[in-house]
Amino acid sequence: METLLAGNPANGVAKPTCNGVGALPVANSHAIIATPPAAATLAPAGATLGRHLARRLVQIGASDVFAVPGDFNLTLLDYLIAEPGLTLVGCCNELNAGYAADGYARSRGVGACAVTFTVGGLSVLNAIAGAYSENLPVVCIVGGPNSNDYGTNRILHHTIGLPDFSQELRCFQTITCYQAIINNLDDAHEQIDTAIATALRESKPVYISVSCNLAGLSHPTFSRDPVPMFISPRLSNKANLEYAVEAAADFLNKAVKPVMVGGPKIRVAKAREAFAAVADASGYPFAVMPAAKGLVPEHHPRFIGTYWGAVSTTFCAEIVESADAYLFAGPIFNDYSSVGYSLLLKREKAVIVQPDRMVVGDGPAFGCILMPEFLRALAKRLRRNTTAYDNYRRIFVPDREPPNGKPNEPLRVNVLFKHIKGMLSGDSAVVAETGDSWFNCQKLRLPEGCGYEFQMQYGSIGWSVGATLGYAQAAKDKRVIACIGDGSFQVQYGTSIHGTHAVSLSVPVRAHC
């Protein structure tokens, strides 16, 4: 969505490297940046690899790093601790550190964790895989072997006992979008910047391994104040955008009772406001796919609930599946979201908009268009049509509130969630664990400003405990309410959430519904 400019100390001119997602608090994104004189000659005191990496994390908004110390990353952690504006949050184990970075990225837009070589790297793998599945930019930093150990056929501790240092890298290659092995200083600056830029551009995790003996060394490419990372907007192909909007508007304006459905890739595309703009302009009722809960405004008068096939919010599936046209923004159709591929939808009735492309019915398809720009342009071209919403109002019957339990009877889950519903406000956020909490939290109607997070695609048991720590650390203005099954909570009980404004609700799966 934006273009990142990183300084090139060799010629003193910033050059575009790649596109990134996210906004940085830097002015004049199109400026040509002169290299500080000191960086072109000798690196000043303190201009080390460790400090450069720390500064980059602060610049992209990752002001907290979730870490587990180990002898391969101790020197690097010293530089992260020393960096103004950067806080090192110690975690009980690497898996929890990765989960916390995941939760942090959901609120802040980017997260970071730091672990040690192999024994730590392989432990954090599951959390990074989950962040990959959820399209979250997480910078996973690993303290690597001494740079002099490469190619020596030596066997190191914390490994599986083979003189091959690539095992950890090979594992990360399938669950990160970029991998940087920093075992020399000459290209360390370039590798760090490229890795971070790629994480922002792809909205996926990246892996950075830093040799343990290099973190404290200086190099001419590391200036005391690193050349800022500049983010400038990406733009759609104007011709493609116009054709796509015309085709979609023509398709939807011919429909008698069109509807809208929001999907989880709205987050990647940063299209929440644009989606709401279409709903306001068109008069269409809109629903949300289960994995996208919290990404559309549920306080909106035309929000009709979660579209989840046979287990949808009452009356929602009837309206969506009886429509003669539906606009899906950022959908993911997997076995979970489609209830075993049982959705009663027809492709020829759908306009499907993804972060950088869209397709109308069975075709045509248009690429190189960004979802927010497309939706904002489409909102201006749609004729107002409230037919589907009027049909919904005719059949809608409000759910009855469950009666309160008596003092001596077992607590029922529906009564528990009735009280949770009463706790929600714009200053709160809900983190829902895999399992029963998925289904019960889907029934919560979120007030304006209330956050909501869960991990539907990956569904890692215990994810929410670490994610609650990370989310609460990033969103200190929110009261985080974590709904976690008792078994899931036991899996991750080692995570500390002290110092956060979090409320953890362990929901026994045996409770009566």
Side-chain angles (χ1 to χ4, degrees), residues 258-275:
V259 299
M260 296 171 57
V261 182
K265 290 190 177 180
I266 285 178
R267 183 206 298 275
V268 179
K270 300 187 181 299
R272 301 183 194 201
E273 291 78 13
F275 182 87

Side-chain angles (χ1 to χ4, degrees), residues 16 116 130 136 160 184 267 349 361 415 419 434 443 455 505:
T116 195
L136 298 170
I160 61 170
N184 72 83
R267 183 206 298 275
K349 293 183 179 182
V415 174
H419 291 291
T434 301
K443 300 173 186 177
Q455 194 191 56
L505 298 172

